[in-house]
Amino acid sequence: MKIITDIAEMKRISKDLKKPHGRVSFIPTMGKLHGGHIRLIEEGKKYGKTVVSIFVNPMQFGMDEDFKNYPRDLENDAKILRGLNIAYLFSPATDIVKNTETFVAGPKYSNQLEGIFRPEHFRGVLTIVMKLFCIINPDFAFFGLKDYQQYILIKKMARDYFLDVQIIPVETVREKCGLAMSSRNTYFNETDKKNACNFHKSLKKTADLFKAGEKSGGKLTLFAIKELIKSGFEIDYAKIMDKGLSIEKQSVEAGDILISAIRFKGVRLIDNIFFE
Ligand code: PAF
């Protein structure tokens, strides 16, 4: 596997990969790769020649967040990628967001859900993803549905800027107990990780209540909140929205989404579930 640290070289390689009719799949990550990333990569490989990037983007972390301590393990990540037969890893040698003077900002509703608790987050995400798209110019880019609001905003960015990239959503990969895989799960000890599994279980119970006939957004949300509190979670938000995340639903229908962020033992987790 070739580890590319230079922007000009990455651009050149990407251009070559597209010759004469090659398609490039791109999986942007912040490293500390886990089953969720592996699933994105496996999906990417089905669509084209695959490039993975690893860059812990300072611009998407708030002042009081875990940028400094965010888990990093480039050596092991490279081993995983070699095992997956990935030919190209882009790992920029310099901070490619430093000194940026123009930014990609999300629409008004990026200031809801995650945006309320992490006001600069999506500006940081959209700006780095746009930069990576400009360097790699992929035909396909893959994003996990755990970060559902991120996926929606990146799709809108690609549409608004007429980018020639197709944004492909990939199902959340979960531990056996239902906990969504996340690099931040490494912050938990075994006992706390086990208790964190109740996050998904609470969302699942709410989805089951919908299946059993409850359609009131208010009642379902209250049920979810009570379940989350019972497990000892501090809730940042738990909301039922339409799948485009534009309205909070009073009357819930199949296809709507329950989306939530909680804090537990100093770790912030996000997850969601669709009503069926
Ligand atoms: O989902 C992530 O890991 C990050 O937000 C991304 C898309 C790699 C941008 O830094």
Side-chain angles (χ1 to χ4, degrees):
M1 182 177 67
K2 190 165 173 55
I3 302 181
I4 303 135
T5 58
D6 177 67
I7 292 174
E9 189 182 9
M10 185 67 249
K11 279 190 166 195
R12 193 171 36 72
I13 288 175
S14 220
K15 231 182 224 165
D16 286 349
L17 289 176
K18 289 182 155 224
K19 282 181 200 158
H21 301 296
R23 304 288 217 127
V24 172
S25 287
F26 174 47
I27 293 96
T29 82
M30 298 206 296
K32 191 69 189 165
L33 302 178
H34 52 68
H37 297 115
I38 292 172
R39 179 72 208 283
L40 295 174
I41 292 167
E42 295 292 9
E43 206 51 33
K45 282 163 67 177
K46 294 182 197 160
Y47 286 71
K49 299 172 191 171
T50 305
V51 177
V52 176
S53 71
I54 295 182
F55 177 67
V56 184
N57 170 30
M59 202 189 273
Q60 69 188 73
F61 289 79
M63 297 284 273
D64 55 345
E65 292 182 15
D66 55 346
F67 172 68
K68 275 212 174 97
N69 300 327
Y70 194 82
R72 292 162 171 88
D73 193 349
L74 189 59
E75 207 176 303
N76 193 52
D77 288 345
K79 205 163 124 191
I80 293 172
L81 293 173
R82 280 191 197 99
L84 293 167
N85 285 324
I86 292 301
Y88 300 101
L89 165 62
F90 179 50
S91 170
T94 53
D95 179 349
I96 60 170
V97 294
K98 205 172 171 185
N99 302 326
T100 297
E101 290 186 273
T102 61
F103 305 90
V104 185
K108 200 167 106 227
Y109 54 81
S110 65
N111 295 330
Q112 59 166 355
L113 305 168
E114 281 301 282
I116 292 175
F117 296 89
R118 309 182 74 191
E120 299 297 314
H121 175 66
F122 287 120
R123 187 173 86 137
V125 169
L126 295 176
T127 302
I128 186 65
V129 171
M130 180 62 109
K131 279 174 182 266
L132 292 166
F133 282 176
C134 289
I135 296 167
I136 292 159
N137 190 18
D139 299 284
F140 307 101
F142 298 78
F143 294 87
L145 287 175
K146 176 174 74 70
D147 298 285
Y148 189 70
Q149 195 176 4
Q150 166 175 284
Y151 158 69
I152 292 285
L153 290 169
I154 289 170
K155 233 167 88 113
K156 286 181 192 288
M157 177 182 82
R159 183 203 61 191
D160 289 348
Y161 288 88
F162 313 106
L163 303 180
D164 290 323
V165 58
Q166 208 176 312
I167 307 300
I168 315 276
V170 178
E171 278 307 317
T172 303
V173 179
R174 299 181 181 281
E175 309 273 355
K176 246 198 207 112
C177 69
L179 179 66
M181 288 196 183
S182 159
S183 307
R184 289 191 170 97
N185 291 350
T186 55
Y187 294 146
F188 287 125
N189 63 33
E190 272 313 302
T191 315
D192 294 342
K193 191 170 165 186
K194 222 163 152 186
N195 291 330
C197 298
N198 290 328
F199 186 19
H200 175 67
K201 284 181 187 152
S202 303
L203 304 187
K204 174 85 174 51
K205 274 190 191 171
T206 312
D208 288 344
L209 185 60
F210 170 80
K211 251 187 210 158
E214 181 58 72
K215 303 288 183 256
S216 153
K219 285 186 183 156
L220 288 164
T221 306
L222 192 63
F223 177 83
I225 289 173
K226 280 185 179 162
E227 286 295 316
L228 293 167
I229 290 173
K230 246 198 277 175
S231 296
F233 302 142
E234 287 174 68
I235 304 168
D236 277 357
Y237 59 85
K239 292 202 166 184
I240 299 175
M241 312 285 295
D242 69 306
K243 72 175 190 314
L245 298 184
S246 41
I247 45 164
E248 194 168 353
K249 295 298 294 276
Q250 302 305 319
S251 176
V252 181
E253 299 163 279
D256 292 337
I257 184 170
L258 168 58
I259 185 162
S260 179
I262 56 113
R263 279 166 289 122
F264 183 57
K265 302 286 173 183
V267 184
R268 189 169 185 280
L269 299 174
I270 60 173
D271 203 351
N272 59 69
I273 195 163
F274 280 97
F275 294 101
E276 290 172 355

